[in-house]
């Protein structure tokens, strides 16, 4: 079904008096089941999905405790404080795990993200150094930066010297 998640999120609460929203963990759990089911039918959805939001209290209200989970194309799911998908899972995730601490200021977090994106740009021949960073606050405010270009430096000696040291251009 095309809008299965949207239907699931609104069907139960459509005619109820209370506005009972599903929390991020419920959406994450539902997506895990969908991805695992599609994998078992040999028709996976080729997506890695990051779900972020807030956990739910026992009384159904939204708590202040953040939730961050990931579901991959075969239904593997886990929660963590730091997540990345694709190429970032191989290169940026170890860097973020090394430098992350729970009491980071916004400027520190932005600098860490920019460092990770810069390193990913250096290592992916089809990437651009033009990025946007978004921030979601507890009150539901979403702030998305204007696109901007990361500062990059290509004057590293290893980039400009011959690699073969035999007077060639370094190619095979």
């Amino acid at each position: 079904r095309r809008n299965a998640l949207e239907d699931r999120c609104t069907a139960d609460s459509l005619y109820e008096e209370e506005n009972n929203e599903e929390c991020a963990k419920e959406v994450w759990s539902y997506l895990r089941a969908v991805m695992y089911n599609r994998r078992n039918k040999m028709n996976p959805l080729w997506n890695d999905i990051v779900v972020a939001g807030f956990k739910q209290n026992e009384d159904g209200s939204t708590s202040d405790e953040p939730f961050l989970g990931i579901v991959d194309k075969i239904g593997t799911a886990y929660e963590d404080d730091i997540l990345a998908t694709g190429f970032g899972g191989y290169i940026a995730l170890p860097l973020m795990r090394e430098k992350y601490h729970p009491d980071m200021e916004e400027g520190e977090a932005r600098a860490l993200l920019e460092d990770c994106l810069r390193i990913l740009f250096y290592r992916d021949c089809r990437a651009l150094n033009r990025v946007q960073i978004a921030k979601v606050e507890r009150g539901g405010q979403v702030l998305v930066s204007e696109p901007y270009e990361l500062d990059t430096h290509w004057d590293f000696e290893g980039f400009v010297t011959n690699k073969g040291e035999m007077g060639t251009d370094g190619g095979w």
Side-chain angles (χ1 to χ4, degrees):
R1 258 172 92 186
R2 190 175 177 130
N3 293 319
L5 180 60
E6 183 178 345
D7 291 346
R8 175 160 164 64
C9 288
T10 58
D12 294 336
S13 61
L14 187 59
Y15 298 108
E16 292 178 4
E17 294 295 320
E18 300 175 20
N19 185 11
N20 190 11
E21 296 180 8
E22 293 192 33
C23 71
K25 190 164 187 169
E26 290 173 337
V27 172
W28 171 74
S29 182
Y30 174 72
L31 289 170
R32 181 207 50 80
V34 168
M35 299 299 259
Y36 185 74
N37 185 30
R38 292 289 299 261
R39 167 237 178 142
N40 286 342
K41 292 181 177 182
M42 301 301 176
N43 187 17
L45 297 170
W46 288 86
N47 296 315
D48 290 348
I49 303 168
V50 175
V51 177
F54 293 96
K55 294 183 179 177
Q56 200 170 32
N57 294 324
E58 294 294 326
D59 64 355
S61 63
T62 303
S63 89
D64 286 339
E65 188 178 354
F67 173 83
L68 188 61
I70 190 167
V71 182
D72 70 4
K73 63 186 159 289
I74 61 172
T76 305
Y78 62 92
E79 302 174 47
D80 203 346
D81 290 334
I82 304 166
L83 295 174
T85 61
F87 201 42
Y90 298 108
I91 294 179
L93 196 57
L95 295 171
M96 288 191 289
R97 284 184 178 152
E98 179 183 326
K99 295 183 179 182
Y100 168 79
H101 52 90
D103 57 341
M104 288 181 90
E105 296 290 325
E106 182 180 345
E108 290 177 293
R110 179 178 288 270
L112 177 57
L113 280 176
E114 287 179 352
D115 287 344
C116 291
L117 290 168
R118 187 176 297 110
I119 290 168
L120 288 167
F121 169 68
Y122 286 146
R123 285 161 177 73
D124 188 352
C125 64
R126 290 172 278 180
L128 295 175
N129 65 337
R130 192 169 185 81
V131 299
Q132 276 184 293
I133 294 180
K135 173 186 167 188
V136 178
E137 296 179 347
R138 289 186 195 271
Q141 287 181 309
V142 178
L143 304 169
V144 180
S145 73
E146 292 295 320
Y148 64 97
E149 291 185 5
L150 297 171
D151 293 331
T152 56
H153 304 286
W154 293 99
D155 55 355
F156 176 63
E157 185 179 336
F159 294 150
V160 295
T161 59
N162 289 337
K163 306 296 185 288
E165 296 299 325
M166 290 191 255
T168 65
D169 65 353
W172 294 96

